Amino acid sequence: NDPFPANNGAILNIAQIIKNVMTSAAEAELAALYINAREAVYIRLILEQLGHPQPPTPIQTDNSTAEGVINSKIQPKRTKAMDMRFHWLRDRETLKQFRFYWRPGRLNYADYWTKHHPAAHHRNFRPEILSSPSVITELNQRKKAVSARVC
């Protein structure tokens, strides 16, 4: 009964250099969330104009500070550089266009593409990103069954 999607597969992948100097990881994450949400607004509008009403689009972050700033759980002391971005993100969440939530990086499938990993991690993780959640569940159940028979 998790209110957030289990598989946050990307429908749009933006590779962009943030043009400003970021003073913290939270500020960099806010900038990335802003860039992605700004593009998602157009997709939402197109879908709505085509007759497909949109619920709040879930956007996952692995930075709890950034999520806290957007959801008004945290009020940062130094916000001059962040002001425009986080107020825009807060406004869009208030308008129910987006729903920002936190999950640890290991559960953030989009994070896989942004980090350098050893070959073993790629071999283990690839089936999860190339398969639907139901297929993953079935494969995990088969692994457990085989493990139980071997023991």
Side-chain angles (χ1 to χ4, degrees):
N1 294 336
D2 189 359
F4 306 112
N7 184 350
N8 64 334
I11 60 162
L12 176 64
N13 197 357
I14 300 170
Q16 180 176 334
I17 295 172
I18 299 171
K19 294 182 169 84
N20 302 338
V21 175
M22 300 293 128
T23 59
S24 68
E27 188 178 353
E29 188 74 18
L30 283 169
L33 291 169
Y34 172 74
I35 290 167
N36 284 288
R38 190 183 61 203
E39 291 300 317
V41 167
Y42 299 114
I43 295 170
R44 290 178 51 81
L45 288 172
I46 291 167
L47 289 168
E48 287 172 3
Q49 290 295 315
L50 290 171
H52 302 283
Q54 296 299 299
T57 302
I59 299 182
Q60 178 177 311
T61 180
D62 62 353
N63 188 299
S64 58
T65 303
E67 185 265 341
V69 168
I70 295 169
N71 292 324
S72 301
K73 296 175 189 171
I74 297 172
Q75 179 59 44
K77 292 179 182 175
R78 305 169 102 197
T79 62
K80 279 190 178 185
M82 289 193 251
D83 273 350
M84 186 261 315
R85 286 184 204 96
F86 84 68
H87 284 300
W88 188 89
L89 292 168
R90 278 182 179 174
D91 289 344
R92 295 300 169 142
E93 184 166 63
T94 302
L95 294 171
K96 304 274 189 231
Q97 287 185 340
F98 298 105
R99 186 169 41 109
F100 297 94
Y101 65 99
W102 175 86
R103 277 220 179 115
R106 64 182 170 74
L107 300 176
N108 186 348
Y109 291 164
D111 212 31
Y112 171 76
W113 308 103
T114 66
K115 306 285 188 281
H116 179 71
H117 300 288
H121 178 74
H122 289 289
R123 281 191 295 277
N124 292 334
F125 195 71
R126 229 179 271 140
E128 290 189 38
I129 58 174
L130 298 176
S131 303
S132 69
S134 60
V135 171
I136 293 168
T137 303
E138 185 178 333
L139 289 173
N140 287 335
Q141 289 172 347
R142 287 182 187 179
K143 281 183 192 177
K144 288 178 186 175
V146 168
S147 296
R149 279 186 258 151
V150 171
C151 297

